[in-house]
Amino acid sequence: SERTPWAGAVERGCGARHRHDAPSLAAAIREALQLTPRETREAGLRGRKWVEAEFTREIAASRHFELYR
């Protein structure tokens, strides 16, 4: 949904965002179901690479501690 902090997923080709309503969610699901197995596998690999690069425990802790500085 647009209310999540995952805009980067769209930019990196590993996810989607939609308005926070049932018709938008249904459209997003229909779009996802049109992807080929290869497309979903590639999107998953891009997503894994992004998460491993930007969401490690060390990075999360560093960002958390920055809030208190």
Side-chain angles (χ1 to χ4, degrees):
S1 127
E2 291 177 335
R3 296 181 182 178
T4 64
W6 299 104
V10 176
E11 297 165 4
R12 289 165 179 80
C14 59
R17 291 182 74 169
H18 56 84
R19 288 188 312 273
H20 197 71
D21 59 58
S24 297
L25 175 58
I29 291 170
R30 283 192 298 275
E31 289 177 25
L33 290 172
Q34 296 301 310
L35 297 173
T36 66
R38 180 179 180 177
E39 290 170 322
T40 57
R41 184 174 46 256
E42 290 172 352
L45 293 171
R46 287 189 298 270
R48 177 182 289 261
K49 182 178 178 181
W50 176 41
V51 168
E52 288 175 343
E54 295 190 29
F55 297 97
T56 65
R57 286 184 214 147
E58 294 80 10
I59 292 171
S62 175
R63 290 177 180 163
H64 182 81
F65 288 124
E66 285 298 316
L67 293 173
Y68 293 100
R69 290 186 183 190

